[in-house]
Amino acid sequence: MSLLTDSVFIKALQEDEHIVKTVGGRIYGQAIPMPDEYADNVHVPYLIVSFDGLTNDVTTKDASDNEGQEDHTTISITICAPSNETLHVLAESVRFSIREAMADPGYDDPDNSDIYPLSYDFSTGPMHYDPVKPCYWMKFTYVCVTNR
């Protein structure tokens, strides 16, 4: 179920009332849908959760069918805000929300238990400024160990 891992991150962010209020509900999966090519850019702040691919771990002794039982799935969250200060606060809220969601996964929900990561590594790149939009932004990266 590794291909559904991004949905866990989207759900965690959508269930955080503070984040939803801060971004005005602008939490997107993979890209921001634009109905009109001439429409103005989407207002900041917003979040984009992206599925950035996966690799299968075939190094385990259980890889009997040419694929191991675990995947390493990469999910990124792009955080965009109108000011550096807002970016700092929003980024910390996003990190906390994801950390809390992963600490209490939905294993008690049999329909969704396979899509929750078993563990993850977190990293982030630098903060950026885009003068064209204008906005401040950064990207969080989560490399998750998931069930195949």
Side-chain angles (χ1 to χ4, degrees):
M1 299 302 262
S2 302
L3 297 171
L4 302 175
T5 306
D6 57 330
S7 64
V8 172
F9 286 78
I10 293 169
K11 179 182 176 191
L13 296 170
Q14 288 175 337
E15 290 180 350
D16 187 312
E17 293 177 18
H18 171 72
I19 289 175
V20 171
K21 183 178 178 183
T22 300
V23 299
R26 292 181 294 274
I27 300 171
Y28 304 101
Q30 207 62 36
I32 298 173
M34 295 299 290
D36 182 350
E37 66 181 278
Y38 301 107
D40 288 337
N41 287 333
V42 171
H43 297 288
V44 293
Y46 60 80
L47 306 172
I48 301 174
V49 179
S50 301
F51 177 88
D52 292 344
L54 67 83
T55 56
N56 182 256
D57 184 1
V58 294
T59 61
T60 65
K61 63 179 171 69
D62 298 327
S64 61
D65 64 353
N66 296 327
E67 284 194 26
Q69 296 300 311
E70 293 180 348
D71 289 332
H72 295 257
T73 306
T74 303
I75 304 297
S76 66
I77 302 174
T78 301
I79 305 163
C80 187
S83 70
N84 198 36
E85 295 79 16
T86 303
L87 179 60
H88 283 107
V89 173
L90 182 56
E92 188 60 37
S93 295
V94 168
R95 185 175 184 192
F96 178 80
S97 180
I98 297 301
R99 186 171 59 240
E100 290 295 305
M102 297 305 149
D104 185 27
Y107 294 129
D108 57 342
D109 180 359
D111 293 333
N112 292 318
S113 63
D114 285 342
I115 67 174
Y116 279 85
L118 303 171
S119 64
Y120 68 87
D121 290 324
F122 168 77
S123 65
T124 185
M127 294 184 178
H128 301 274
Y129 178 71
D130 180 352
V132 175
K133 189 154 187 81
C135 69
Y136 294 83
W137 67 276
M138 68 185 306
K139 184 185 285 190
F140 284 177
T141 302
Y142 293 87
V143 178
C144 306
V145 176
T146 57
N147 289 315
R148 174 182 59 151

